Amino acid sequence: MLIELDEGYSFGLGLFETILLYKGKPVFLDEHLVRINKSIVDLGLNIDKLERDEVFQYLNNNKNTLEYEVLKIVLSEKIGYS
């Protein structure tokens, strides 16, 4: 994953969300997505809303075997999701 430092990182024009994973499954995912997508609109970011399928696609491609983990989603206008 390539991380570019843009205004989202330099001036706080972005957002992040940290999601608990229990046995590889996100806890309270729907609530996290509501908060993420509301923040995209509230901050006026010119990016698409984050969908459940995108989160599960990422998790399926990056499996781990720990019982408890976290997934940190970082969004800014220039790079979208990371």
Side-chain angles (χ1 to χ4, degrees):
M1 157 186 0
L2 176 65
I3 297 177
E4 295 181 41
L5 297 179
D6 64 2
E7 289 183 352
Y9 294 99
S10 300
F11 301 108
L13 301 174
L15 62 114
F16 74 90
E17 187 84 7
T18 304
I19 301 171
L20 173 65
L21 302 177
Y22 178 69
K23 296 185 178 180
K25 296 183 181 178
V27 177
F28 301 120
L29 179 59
D30 291 333
E31 289 84 350
H32 285 287
L33 289 174
V34 166
R35 188 168 36 251
I36 289 169
N37 291 324
K38 181 179 182 322
S39 295
I40 289 171
V41 172
D42 290 348
L43 293 172
L45 299 178
N46 188 25
I47 56 176
D48 294 331
K49 290 185 176 183
L50 182 60
E51 302 291 337
R52 287 177 60 87
D53 294 346
E54 293 173 283
V55 174
F56 282 109
Q57 181 180 3
Y58 175 83
L59 292 173
N60 287 334
N61 291 333
N62 297 282
K63 292 187 178 188
N64 205 333
T65 58
L66 299 174
E67 185 173 13
Y68 290 98
E69 302 173 89
V70 295
L71 171 64
K72 183 174 182 178
I73 298 173
V74 180
L75 298 100
S76 71
E77 196 165 74
K78 185 174 179 181
I79 64 165
Y81 312 123
S82 65

